[in-house]
Amino acid sequence: MTETHIPEPAETDGIPAEQVNALLEQLMDSADAAGAPLAGEGGLLQQLSKALLERALQTEMSEHLGYEKGDPAGRGSGNSRNGTAAKTVLTDVGPVEVDVPRDRNGDFEPHIVPKNARRLSGFDEQVLALYARGMTVRDIRSYLAKMYGTDVSPDLISKVTDAVNDEITAWQSRPLDSLWPVVYIDALWIKVRDGKVANRPVYLAVGVDLDGCKHVLGLWIGKDGEGARQWLTILGELKARGVEDVLVACCDGLPGLPDAINAVWPRATVQTCVIHLVRASLRYASKADHGKLVPALRKIYTAPTEQAAEQAMEEFTTSDLGRKYPAVVRTWSQAWQDFVPYLAFPPEIRKVIYSTNMIESINARLRKVTRNRGHFSTEQAAVKVLYLAIRELIEPKTRSKTHVAPHWKAALNAFSIYFQDRITLN
């Protein structure tokens, strides 16, 4: 038989796709011939994991001893192989029994399957990913049993998830940039059992850095209803972590919140979310009138100047819609002082601070995660799930190029001109 020459792949290319496909075809054909399932007990994935782990362990042993198995160079070396010991470890494809090599001196310390370890890191990461998606301990046990035939105790799942507690503490106290062009603050609500089940606010702060990337700066669970006093404490903590200046702080219409923001960052421009105002207005109006109300309000918040906005507001107030819905007029009048800073900005900045939709999209993901839980047994359990959801579902997106705030380059140029004494690009 003529030997087929397979060129060596470049170091940075990895294994060529054709070789991978050929190996997969061979494995699948062998599994089909033997009638072996792909997953589950005795499945192809478990067999492949066992073979790969044992091959890696033998390689580690050779590196430890300094010679390959059967190599005469090992004679008289002072240490040698001493058989294997069977060990079952939990992996991301289920339980796998591996034969761990031993040496006569007993000082071999494998890295891929460490001593006393009963599960691999891939298994832990899978449990954390399931937990981050709002699955309860019972849900995770049922899932692992169904998919891999693995009976995992509740204590083990708790140990895996509790391992992130130190990580949460470090994340909540990590240093932050000194300047943030935009910071969005908002709150969502969850249920926590503290003697009795009660609604608790979760305060969330999201910042846009000078590169236009979005970061969750932190989350905090309040004791009772959302209040400006609690926000004052939270914003003070952000300042203590390094946030010296915020150019624009976007928020909803919570009474007292603008004063709390300016108490921490006196030079910050506080902007009430336009979308919040529109949504609040629509709550007072019949759905049949939404089609007329939205264009009327758009004339106000798209006005080129404050004077033009005041004129549009006056026209709306005296219109049939304004007279029909005086509560809508009152909503805009009460928020006017915190709405008009928006009108002083050029269009490039307006597009960025138009609404808190950026933070509300994050809130929507977090609500989806918490909805499955019904309520949390403790505040710590709630923080753990919310943090893991941010780490697993949100932060990976913030590292992608597509997560840069829309229109950011144009906005950054406008920021640098409008706030020229406060923004510096290194």
Side-chain angles (χ1 to χ4, degrees), residues 132-318:
R133 283 163 173 77
M135 295 180 68
T136 64
V137 171
R138 180 181 297 177
D139 293 335
I140 294 173
R141 292 186 69 197
S142 176
Y143 174 84
L144 294 175
K146 182 178 180 180
M147 292 298 296
Y148 308 118
T150 306
D151 185 15
V152 179
S153 69
D155 287 343
L156 175 59
I157 295 176
S158 295
K159 287 180 181 178
V160 171
T161 57
D162 286 345
V164 302
N165 287 337
D166 290 341
E167 185 179 327
I168 293 174
T169 301
W171 180 77
Q172 285 283 61
S173 59
R174 73 196 189 279
L176 299 172
D177 293 347
S178 60
L179 171 66
W180 293 83
V182 187
V183 169
Y184 301 85
I185 55 179
D186 201 3
L188 57 92
W189 294 85
I190 61 173
K191 295 182 182 297
V192 179
R193 179 178 293 280
D194 186 9
K196 63 178 181 179
V197 177
N199 286 327
R200 301 274 291 277
V202 178
Y203 299 99
L204 199 67
V206 176
V208 180
D209 64 18
L210 290 171
D211 293 323
C213 295
K214 307 155 196 174
H215 305 266
V216 178
L217 305 182
L219 63 89
W220 303 262
I221 298 183
K223 295 297 183 184
D224 45 31
E226 182 184 7
R229 182 178 297 179
Q230 293 181 348
W231 268 119
L232 180 61
T233 301
I234 290 167
L235 299 179
E237 180 182 320
L238 290 177
K239 186 172 184 178
R241 288 167 55 195
V243 182
E244 294 294 334
D245 193 12
V246 171
L247 302 183
V248 180
C250 297
C251 59
D252 59 15
L254 180 69
L257 184 51
D259 291 336
I261 294 171
N262 286 136
V264 178
W265 300 301
R267 303 178 70 187
T269 299
V270 181
Q271 172 60 49
T272 295
C273 171
V274 175
I275 292 299
H276 272 85
L277 286 174
V278 174
R279 289 174 180 169
S281 301
L282 294 179
R283 292 192 188 101
Y284 292 112
S286 168
K287 288 188 177 180
D289 289 328
H290 285 187
K292 299 177 182 178
L293 184 58
V294 171
L297 296 177
R298 186 181 296 119
K299 291 181 180 179
I300 300 173
Y301 64 78
T302 59
T305 64
E306 183 176 344
Q307 291 74 18
E310 289 175 350
Q311 181 178 348
M313 182 66 190
E314 179 63 26
E315 292 175 357
F316 173 74
T317 302
T318 57

Side-chain angles (χ1 to χ4, degrees), residues 9 21 34 53 58 87 92 101 117 176 181 199 208 224 244-245 258 279 296 328 348 355-356 370 382 384-385 417:
N21 291 333
L53 288 171
Q58 289 294 344
K87 178 178 182 178
D92 52 359
L176 299 172
N199 286 327
V208 180
D224 45 31
E244 294 294 334
D245 193 12
R279 289 174 180 169
V328 175
E348 294 82 2
S355 78
T356 58
T370 59
K384 186 165 59 176
V385 169
I417 295 173

